[in-house]
């Protein structure tokens, strides 16, 4: 990737729109930013980046980086003097993603200069029920105000040390187990009789893990567990066994489904 007039680039990955929303708000506040989806670049062998300031924005999966983000970071090549900041959207605990990013950057004689966690509506539908619309919007507005205050540090290239709590040692083995099996999590997905064969699930999958057979979705076992296909289905036809039947679906209220689809283009 060649040098551009802008001096800041933000790479993001999203399943339900939360991290895209945060990427947009961050870019708007910092100014002079380009926003690039990781899904668009993930198949490249190396991702050369010559920007002076680089942001990484993503959700937490099982206490760590989504597999696609982990693979992206291992391909990303930045300059030694690049200011790298990371912002993670989360529903529960903070986990280990910032430590993971910092460790990868140190192999390039760099480091993670700033990290921040944004609490967003928990939408891991396999376990949690989605809250009501008023709660969701109030939480997003509250966390946005906190984020914008923190971004003043990023504007000034200030250092914010990574926090490492006791959870690090308990989450690490759970996360490793998740990474080993995540691609095959789609084996738990089922389709009910309400499917209209609209094809939205295929369009929205950020890693093209879905193909259609007579209009009905099938999976290639390259799943990221982003839940985009489940959350976006207009008929709630895709479920994880019986666990998610009748549960409310979630897409960030400030992001359109087409915006999530377009992250791989």
């Amino acid at each position: 990737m060649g040098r551009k007039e802008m001096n800041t680039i933000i790479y993001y990955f999203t399943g339900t729109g939360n991290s895209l929303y945060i990427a947009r708000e961050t870019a708007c506040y910092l100014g002079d930013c380009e926003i690039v989806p990781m899904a668009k670049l993930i198949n490249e062998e190396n991702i050369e980046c010559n920007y002076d300031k680089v942001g990484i924005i993503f959700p937490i999966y099982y206490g760590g980086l989504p597999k696609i983000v982990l693979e992206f970071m291992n391909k990303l090549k930045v300059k030694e003097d690049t200011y790298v900041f990371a912002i993670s959207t989360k529903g529960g605990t903070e986990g280990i993603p910032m430590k993971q990013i910092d460790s990868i950057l140190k192999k390039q004689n760099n480091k993670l200069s700033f990290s921040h966690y944004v609490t967003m509506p928990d939408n891991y539908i396999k376990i949690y029920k989605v809250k009501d619309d008023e709660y969701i919007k109030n939480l997003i507005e509250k966390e946005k105000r906190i984020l914008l205050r923190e971004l003043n540090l990023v504007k000034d290239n200030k250092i914010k040390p990574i926090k490492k709590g006791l959870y690090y040692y308990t989450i690490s083995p759970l996360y490793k187990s998740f990474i080993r099996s995540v691609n095959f999590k789609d084996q738990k997905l089922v389709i009910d009789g309400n499917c209209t064969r609209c094809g939205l699930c295929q369009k929205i999958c950020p890693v093209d893990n879905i193909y259609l057979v007579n209009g009905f979705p099938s999976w290639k076992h390259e799943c990221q567990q982003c839940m985009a296909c489940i959350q976006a289905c207009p008929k709630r036809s895709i479920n994880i066994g019986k666990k998610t039947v009748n549960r409310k679906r979630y897409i960030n209220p400030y992001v359109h489904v087409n915006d999530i689809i377009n992250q791989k283009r």
Side-chain angles (χ1 to χ4, degrees), residues 9 15 40-41 44 59 116 128 145 153 185 224 235 242 262:
I9 189 167
K40 183 179 179 180
L41 303 175
E44 295 189 13
H116 179 67
Y128 303 105
R145 291 192 294 270
L153 297 175
K185 296 287 186 180
Q224 296 288 322
K235 296 296 182 180
K242 296 181 179 181
N262 289 334

Side-chain angles (χ1 to χ4, degrees), residues 192-199 215-216 234-235 237:
D192 67 23
N194 295 320
C195 178
T196 62
R197 297 186 284 186
C198 69
F216 296 104
K235 296 296 182 180
S237 298

Side-chain angles (χ1 to χ4, degrees), residues 23-149:
R24 286 174 170 173
E25 292 296 324
T26 299
C28 181
Y29 191 78
L30 294 179
D32 194 27
C33 283
E34 180 177 5
I35 303 177
V36 177
M38 298 182 198
K40 183 179 179 180
L41 303 175
I42 194 59
N43 291 324
E44 295 189 13
E45 186 174 346
N46 288 299
I47 302 167
E48 299 289 340
C49 179
N50 294 316
Y51 285 73
D52 297 324
K53 188 174 291 185
V54 175
I56 311 294
I57 300 182
F58 58 93
I60 294 179
Y61 292 173
Y62 277 72
L65 296 175
K67 189 172 184 180
I68 186 175
V69 179
L70 181 64
E71 293 173 350
F72 179 88
M73 288 305 306
N74 281 313
K75 293 180 178 184
L76 182 65
K77 309 302 177 187
V78 299
K79 301 177 300 180
E80 288 187 19
D81 59 347
T82 301
Y83 180 92
V84 183
F85 65 97
I87 302 171
S88 178
T89 56
K90 69 180 185 69
T93 58
E94 295 177 353
I96 61 173
M98 303 307 180
K99 178 62 178 176
Q100 290 177 293
I101 292 175
D102 188 55
S103 296
I104 292 170
L105 291 172
K106 283 180 177 176
K107 295 176 182 177
Q108 301 183 45
N109 295 316
N110 204 312
K111 65 179 180 179
L112 183 60
S113 297
F114 170 95
S115 64
H116 179 67
Y117 294 93
V118 179
T119 301
M120 297 293 274
D122 202 323
N123 55 82
Y124 189 50
I125 195 171
K126 179 179 178 180
I127 298 177
Y128 303 105
K129 293 182 179 180
V130 176
K131 300 289 181 61
D132 63 78
D133 294 345
E134 182 179 4
Y135 172 88
I136 287 171
K137 290 186 176 182
N138 286 340
L139 176 60
I140 291 174
E141 289 301 317
K142 172 188 172 184
E143 289 294 315
K144 175 184 172 181
R145 291 192 294 270
I146 297 172
L147 170 66
L148 297 185
R149 290 198 298 268

Side-chain angles (χ1 to χ4, degrees), residues 181-192:
S181 63
V182 62
N183 290 155
F184 294 91
K185 296 287 186 180
D186 55 19
Q187 292 177 326
K188 301 289 187 180
L189 300 180
V190 296
I191 309 297
D192 67 23

Side-chain angles (χ1 to χ4, degrees), residues 133-179:
D133 294 345
E134 182 179 4
Y135 172 88
I136 287 171
K137 290 186 176 182
N138 286 340
L139 176 60
I140 291 174
E141 289 301 317
K142 172 188 172 184
E143 289 294 315
K144 175 184 172 181
R145 291 192 294 270
I146 297 172
L147 170 66
L148 297 185
R149 290 198 298 268
E150 289 289 314
L151 287 176
N152 286 317
L153 297 175
V154 177
K155 273 190 172 182
D156 296 333
N157 290 354
K158 299 293 186 182
I159 305 298
K160 181 181 177 182
I162 299 171
K163 293 189 296 182
K164 180 179 175 182
L166 295 175
Y167 52 77
Y168 178 86
Y169 299 101
T170 57
I171 287 178
S172 291
L174 295 174
Y175 173 78
K176 290 178 181 178
S177 176
F178 165 73
I179 286 295

